[in-house]
Coordinates of all heavy atoms in Angstrom, one line a residue:
P1 N 92.5 63.7 82.7 CA 93.3 63.9 81.5 C 94.8 64.0 81.8 O 95.2 64.4 82.8 CB 92.8 65.3 81.0 CG 92.1 65.9 82.1 CD 91.7 64.8 83.1
V3 N 98.7 65.1 82.0 CA 99.3 66.4 82.2 C 100.6 66.5 81.5 O 101.3 65.5 81.4 CB 99.5 66.7 83.7 CG1 100.2 68.0 83.9 CG2 98.2 66.6 84.4
P9 N 105.9 60.7 69.0 CA 105.2 59.7 68.2 C 106.1 58.5 67.9 O 107.3 58.6 68.0 CB 105.0 60.5 66.9 CG 106.0 61.6 66.9 CD 106.2 61.9 68.3
G17 N 112.2 54.7 49.9 CA 112.5 55.6 48.8 C 112.7 57.0 49.2 O 113.1 57.8 48.3
G18 N 112.5 57.4 50.4 CA 112.7 58.8 50.9 C 114.1 59.2 50.8 O 115.0 58.5 51.3
E26 N 123.3 55.6 52.3 CA 124.5 55.6 51.5 C 125.7 56.1 52.2 O 126.8 55.6 52.1 CB 124.2 56.5 50.3 CG 123.3 55.9 49.3 CD 122.8 56.9 48.2 OE1 123.2 58.1 48.2 OE2 122.0 56.5 47.4
A27 N 125.6 57.2 53.0 CA 126.7 57.7 53.8 C 127.2 56.7 54.9 O 128.4 56.6 55.0 CB 126.3 59.0 54.5
I28 N 126.3 56.0 55.5 CA 126.6 55.0 56.5 C 127.4 53.9 55.9 O 128.5 53.4 56.4 CB 125.4 54.5 57.2 CG1 124.8 55.6 58.1 CG2 125.7 53.3 58.1 CD1 123.4 55.4 58.6
A30 N 129.1 54.0 53.0 CA 130.3 54.4 52.5 C 131.4 54.4 53.6 O 132.6 54.3 53.3 CB 130.2 55.8 51.9
R31 N 131.0 54.6 54.8 CA 131.9 54.6 56.0 C 132.1 53.2 56.6 O 132.7 53.0 57.6 CB 131.4 55.6 57.0 CG 131.5 57.0 56.6 CD 130.7 57.9 57.5 NE 130.9 59.3 57.2 CZ 130.3 60.0 56.2 NH1 129.4 59.3 55.5 NH2 130.5 61.2 55.9
H32 N 131.5 52.2 55.9 CA 131.6 50.8 56.3 C 131.2 50.5 57.8 O 131.8 49.7 58.5 CB 133.0 50.3 56.1 CG 133.5 50.5 54.7 ND1 133.0 49.8 53.6 CD2 134.4 51.4 54.2 CE1 133.6 50.2 52.5 NE2 134.4 51.2 52.8
F33 N 130.1 51.2 58.2 CA 129.6 50.9 59.5 C 128.9 49.6 59.5 O 128.5 49.1 58.5 CB 128.5 52.0 59.9 CG 129.1 53.4 60.3 CD1 128.3 54.4 60.5 CD2 130.5 53.6 60.3 CE1 128.8 55.7 60.8 CE2 131.0 54.8 60.6 CZ 130.2 55.9 60.9
P35 N 126.0 46.7 60.1 CA 124.5 46.7 59.8 C 123.7 47.2 61.0 O 122.7 47.8 60.9 CB 124.2 45.3 59.4 CG 125.5 44.8 58.8 CD 126.6 45.4 59.6
T37 N 124.6 49.2 63.4 CA 124.8 50.7 63.5 C 123.9 51.4 62.5 O 123.2 52.4 62.8 CB 126.3 51.1 63.3 OG1 127.1 50.4 64.3 CG2 126.5 52.6 63.4
D39 N 121.1 50.3 61.2 CA 119.7 50.1 61.7 C 119.5 51.2 62.8 O 118.4 51.8 62.8 CB 119.5 48.7 62.3 CG 119.5 47.7 61.2 OD1 119.4 48.0 60.0 OD2 119.6 46.5 61.5
L42 N 119.3 54.8 61.3 CA 118.1 55.0 60.6 C 116.9 55.0 61.5 O 115.9 55.8 61.2 CB 118.0 54.0 59.5 CG 119.1 54.0 58.4 CD1 118.9 52.9 57.4 CD2 119.1 55.4 57.7
W44 N 116.7 56.3 64.5 CA 116.7 57.6 65.1 C 116.4 58.7 64.1 O 115.7 59.7 64.4 CB 118.0 57.9 65.9 CG 118.0 57.1 67.2 CD1 118.8 56.1 67.4 CD2 117.2 57.3 68.3 NE1 118.5 55.6 68.7 CE2 117.5 56.4 69.2 CE3 116.2 58.3 68.6 CZ2 116.9 56.3 70.5 CZ3 115.6 58.2 69.9 CH2 115.9 57.2 70.8
A52 N 109.8 66.0 63.6 CA 110.1 67.3 62.9 C 109.5 67.5 61.5 O 109.5 68.5 61.0 CB 111.6 67.6 62.8
P56 N 113.3 67.9 55.0 CA 114.5 68.4 55.6 C 114.7 70.0 55.5 O 115.4 70.5 56.4 CB 115.6 67.8 54.8 CG 115.0 66.6 54.2 CD 113.5 67.0 53.9
D60 N 115.8 72.4 61.6 CA 116.7 73.5 62.0 C 117.2 73.1 63.4 O 116.8 72.1 64.0 CB 116.1 74.8 62.0 CG 114.8 75.0 62.9 OD1 114.6 74.1 63.7 OD2 114.1 75.9 62.7
E61 N 118.2 73.9 63.9 CA 118.8 73.6 65.2 C 117.8 73.6 66.3 O 117.8 72.8 67.2 CB 119.9 74.6 65.4 CG 120.7 74.3 66.6 CD 121.9 75.2 66.8 OE1 122.4 75.8 65.8 OE2 122.4 75.4 68.0
S65 N 117.1 70.6 68.8 CA 117.3 70.8 70.2 C 116.0 70.4 71.0 O 116.1 69.7 72.0 CB 117.7 72.2 70.5 OG 117.8 72.4 71.9
L68 N 115.8 66.5 71.1 CA 116.7 65.9 72.0 C 116.3 66.2 73.5 O 116.4 65.3 74.3 CB 118.1 66.5 71.8 CG 118.8 66.0 70.5 CD1 120.1 66.7 70.3 CD2 118.9 64.5 70.4
A72 N 115.3 63.3 76.3 CA 115.9 63.3 77.7 C 114.9 63.4 78.8 O 115.0 62.7 79.8 CB 116.9 64.4 77.8
T73 N 113.8 64.2 78.6 CA 112.9 64.4 79.7 C 111.7 63.4 79.7 O 111.4 62.9 80.7 CB 112.3 65.8 79.6 OG1 111.7 66.1 78.4 CG2 113.4 66.9 79.9
S75 N 111.3 60.5 77.3 CA 111.7 59.1 77.0 C 112.8 58.6 77.9 O 113.2 57.5 77.8 CB 112.1 59.0 75.6 OG 111.0 59.4 74.7
R76 N 113.3 59.5 78.7 CA 114.4 59.2 79.7 C 115.6 58.6 79.0 O 116.3 57.7 79.5 CB 113.9 58.3 80.8 CG 112.8 58.9 81.5 CD 112.3 58.0 82.6 NE 111.0 58.4 83.1 CZ 110.9 59.1 84.3 NH1 111.9 59.5 85.0 NH2 109.7 59.5 84.6
A79 N 121.2 61.8 78.7 CA 121.7 63.1 78.1 C 123.1 62.9 77.5 O 123.4 63.5 76.5 CB 121.8 64.2 79.2

Side-chain angles (χ1 to χ4, degrees):
V3 178
E26 289 169 359
I28 291 166
R31 289 168 177 81
H32 305 288
F33 288 175
T37 300
D39 291 344
L42 295 178
W44 286 107
D60 58 16
E61 188 174 336
S65 179
L68 294 175
T73 58
S75 299
R76 301 180 194 262

